[in-house]
Amino acid sequence: MKALFPLPPLRVLLFLLLLLGAFAGLLYLLLPSGPYAPSALDLVFWAALIVIARRAHVALPFSASISHVFVVALAAITLFPPWLAAGLVFIFSFNKDFGRPGYTWYKDLFNRTQSGLATGLAAWAWGWVHSQPIPYTYLLEAVGILVASLMYFLVNVGSVTYVIHLASGASLRKVWFENGSWLWVSYLVQAPIGLLLAKAYQTPLIWGWGGFTVLFMMLLLYFSRFYWDEKVKIEAAFDDTIEVLVATLDAKDPFTRLHSERVAAIASSIAKRMGFDEYDVKRITYAARIHDIGKVAIPDSILLKPGKLTPEEFDLIKTHPTKGLEVLRPMQSRLSKEVQDVILHHHERWDGSGYPSRLKEEQIPLWARIVALADAYEAMTAGRAYSPAKTPQEALNEIIMHAGRQFDPQVVKHFEALWHEDPIWKDREEFLRRYTLPAHLSGLPLRSGSGQVSAISPASSSGRPGSS
């Protein structure tokens, strides 16, 4: 039975309590900035904007999302006292999944707290800039909104990066690179929009109320988000196409049925044993799934030839790694260098006699070395029309025999230890009998143009990163 009040890992809980304490302390310090009696319309309107902005989000890597709350929060800090702006964001920046089983109380509390803390510190930065002797009003406000934006960015992205690091085990550098390193430009570029929203609210342009102008400007923002969402859908459709191609390759020949899935399962096990974090394990699994995608460019008469290949035919087969990158060129910008290296170098050999680049030893990317061993074991135990399948023991013996020649000796050691643990992939017939759920191909980083980052769900153990 699931707990009615689930708790996060202790280190995540302690970090959440630290953030709560910091937010409460900040509110206490900001309250002396003076009372404020906003109209009911002010409160309702800006609270509604925060709710709407938080509900429209796009998924990011590492189970994070991005929204327009940032722009609305910047507008609020220029309109209201710091404590009120921070309080509004804390109270109303709840996720659309709030109250559902998959969105726990601590995720919601973390997102609200870091949003409120980021808003409060941004408001403090705005006030600090306005206390400086800057002679020109326009320059004062421009510097103020940029500094506030930078403060918001550091607190928002920094806290989300750290909590994902605590929850997933991924390194801070990796989480920062995937989710934060490219966002700072977006924050600074869109900072003026928050100031414009505030000015539009204070200076009505139509029908005597600034809210109409703000709504029009927000509509333009959501149109940009709509086009981004369409781009994401197109990329998802491309992912689906690649998955169909991979499945078609595996289905052409009874000897290669679920080949890519089994290679992915073996590579995933090796990566976990070698200490890769969960995010890298997913990417290695993904790379293993598509490592042979270049074979779609090889004629079936060669791929399915029942006898041994001629030297000319084998030379054509050896082009499939480079053809794989050609096939994936439309989505190459979304593939990490490590994934591309697997596709290109999974037939390199430790002694330098492989292809296409004749790399040797440590020159061969580690992920490619892992997938190369997984690919070889799967092929040996599957067999071909011209080469009967080896037993799992025979295949293991051959891999051990070729350690230091074809395979990385350290990867072989990890593989041998795993093999003795009797994993599902050890026996091919058992794998085919028990295998039911394919490893999904999606899970590539998607980059959105703007907004606030939030943690939305724990990392998934499946082939697809968790998303909301």
Side-chain angles (χ1 to χ4, degrees), residues 97-98 173 182 193 244 276 278 335 382 386 432 439 445 448 461-462:
D97 294 321
F98 177 68
R173 180 177 179 276
W182 52 276
I193 297 178
V244 169
F276 285 92
E278 187 173 4
L335 294 175
Y386 54 85
L432 297 183
S448 176
S461 60
S462 69

Side-chain angles (χ1 to χ4, degrees), residues 166 356 446 461:
L166 293 177
L446 298 178
S461 60

Side-chain angles (χ1 to χ4, degrees), residues 45-182:
F45 179 75
W46 287 96
L49 279 187
I50 292 170
V51 171
I52 294 170
R54 185 66 188 89
R55 288 176 67 89
H57 67 260
V58 169
L60 291 174
F62 286 111
S63 305
S65 67
I66 193 168
S67 73
H68 285 313
V69 170
F70 160 67
V71 175
V72 179
L74 282 187
I77 69 174
T78 69
L79 290 172
F80 305 125
W83 61 269
L84 183 55
L88 283 173
V89 171
F90 175 79
I91 294 170
F92 294 102
S93 63
F94 52 85
N95 189 279
K96 66 178 180 180
D97 294 321
F98 177 68
R100 296 180 182 177
Y103 192 74
T104 59
W105 67 270
Y106 55 83
K107 296 175 199 170
D108 180 72
L109 184 58
F110 168 79
N111 285 328
R112 291 189 190 211
T113 303
Q114 62 91 3
S115 298
L117 184 62
T119 303
L121 287 171
W124 173 85
W126 168 265
W128 177 81
V129 170
H130 277 68
S131 68
Q132 304 305 306
I134 300 177
Y136 302 105
T137 302
Y138 292 115
L139 180 60
L140 182 69
E141 292 194 337
V143 173
I145 205 67
L146 289 176
V147 172
S149 173
L150 183 60
M151 177 65 78
Y152 193 105
F153 166 77
L154 292 174
V155 177
N156 172 222
V157 179
S159 60
V160 171
T161 295
Y162 192 68
V163 81
I164 291 174
H165 158 71
L166 293 177
S168 70
S171 69
L172 285 170
R173 180 177 179 276
K174 183 178 299 176
V175 181
W176 164 257
F177 177 77
E178 295 291 346
N179 274 344
S181 62
W182 52 276

Side-chain angles (χ1 to χ4, degrees), residues 389-433:
K390 291 179 170 60
T391 67
Q393 183 65 60
E394 289 171 339
L396 173 65
N397 293 341
E398 186 157 338
I399 284 175
I400 294 172
M401 182 176 64
H402 285 87
R405 287 189 287 174
Q406 181 174 350
F407 306 113
D408 180 340
Q410 292 303 314
V411 177
V412 171
K413 287 181 180 179
H414 289 289
F415 175 81
E416 183 181 3
L418 282 167
W419 189 92
H420 287 294
E421 294 174 4
D422 291 324
I424 182 177
W425 48 256
K426 177 178 176 179
D427 183 274
R428 186 171 187 269
E429 293 306 316
E430 181 67 14
F431 182 86
L432 297 183
R433 187 161 50 249

Side-chain angles (χ1 to χ4, degrees), residues 68 190 193 196-197 212-228 450:
H68 285 313
Q190 294 207 61
I193 297 178
L196 286 174
L197 288 178
F212 292 122
T213 309
V214 170
L215 288 174
F216 177 74
M217 294 174 68
M218 291 298 292
L219 188 62
L220 294 179
L221 279 179
Y222 284 114
F223 266 116
S224 69
R225 178 53 53 86
F226 169 79
Y227 285 111
W228 169 258
S450 65

Side-chain angles (χ1 to χ4, degrees), residues 161-433:
T161 295
Y162 192 68
V163 81
I164 291 174
H165 158 71
L166 293 177
S168 70
S171 69
L172 285 170
R173 180 177 179 276
K174 183 178 299 176
V175 181
W176 164 257
F177 177 77
E178 295 291 346
N179 274 344
S181 62
W182 52 276
L183 278 173
W184 68 272
V185 175
S186 175
Y187 272 69
L188 293 181
V189 168
Q190 294 207 61
I193 297 178
L195 184 59
L196 286 174
L197 288 178
K199 294 299 182 183
Y201 193 72
Q202 293 172 322
T203 311
L205 298 179
I206 52 175
W207 299 327
W209 180 52
F212 292 122
T213 309
V214 170
L215 288 174
F216 177 74
M217 294 174 68
M218 291 298 292
L219 188 62
L220 294 179
L221 279 179
Y222 284 114
F223 266 116
S224 69
R225 178 53 53 86
F226 169 79
Y227 285 111
W228 169 258
D229 288 343
E230 290 302 306
K231 177 178 180 292
V232 170
K233 290 176 183 177
I234 291 173
E235 291 176 340
F238 194 93
D239 282 342
D240 291 341
T241 302
I242 296 300
E243 184 156 4
V244 169
L245 289 175
V246 171
T248 301
L249 274 174
D250 285 357
K252 281 183 177 181
D253 187 341
F255 293 103
T256 60
R257 178 170 170 250
L258 291 181
H259 168 75
S260 297
E261 298 294 354
R262 190 164 173 234
V263 172
I266 298 169
S268 175
S269 294
I270 296 172
K272 288 176 183 176
R273 187 172 187 88
M274 292 181 69
F276 285 92
D277 62 51
E278 187 173 4
Y279 183 65
D280 274 349
V281 169
K282 290 176 182 176
R283 294 200 297 168
I284 292 170
T285 304
Y286 173 81
R289 272 285 283 130
I290 65 173
H291 73 282
D292 271 342
I293 189 66
K295 287 184 177 178
V296 299
I298 306 298
D300 284 355
S301 60
I302 296 176
L303 279 181
L304 305 180
K305 184 176 179 179
K308 286 192 174 183
L309 299 175
T310 66
E312 293 76 17
E313 290 170 335
F314 187 56
D315 285 341
L316 186 57
I317 285 284
K318 286 162 64 174
T319 65
H320 81 269
T322 53
K323 289 185 182 296
L325 291 186
E326 292 174 10
V327 168
L328 296 172
R329 184 169 294 140
M331 63 182 296
Q332 205 161 349
S333 62
R334 299 176 62 225
L335 294 175
S336 69
K337 182 179 183 300
E338 294 89 349
V339 172
Q340 294 183 47
D341 284 343
V342 168
I343 296 168
L344 186 60
H345 297 300
H346 66 276
H347 281 293
E348 305 286 357
R349 297 169 66 105
W350 187 253
D351 61 8
S353 62
Y355 62 88
S357 304
R358 300 185 69 85
L359 302 180
K360 64 182 300 184
E361 299 182 359
E362 301 290 339
Q363 293 175 336
I364 307 169
L366 179 55
W367 291 18
R369 285 178 255 157
I370 293 171
V371 174
L373 190 152
D375 189 30
Y377 181 82
E378 205 293 318
M380 284 190 283
T381 52
R384 295 294 184 266
Y386 54 85
S387 176
K390 291 179 170 60
T391 67
Q393 183 65 60
E394 289 171 339
L396 173 65
N397 293 341
E398 186 157 338
I399 284 175
I400 294 172
M401 182 176 64
H402 285 87
R405 287 189 287 174
Q406 181 174 350
F407 306 113
D408 180 340
Q410 292 303 314
V411 177
V412 171
K413 287 181 180 179
H414 289 289
F415 175 81
E416 183 181 3
L418 282 167
W419 189 92
H420 287 294
E421 294 174 4
D422 291 324
I424 182 177
W425 48 256
K426 177 178 176 179
D427 183 274
R428 186 171 187 269
E429 293 306 316
E430 181 67 14
F431 182 86
L432 297 183
R433 187 161 50 249

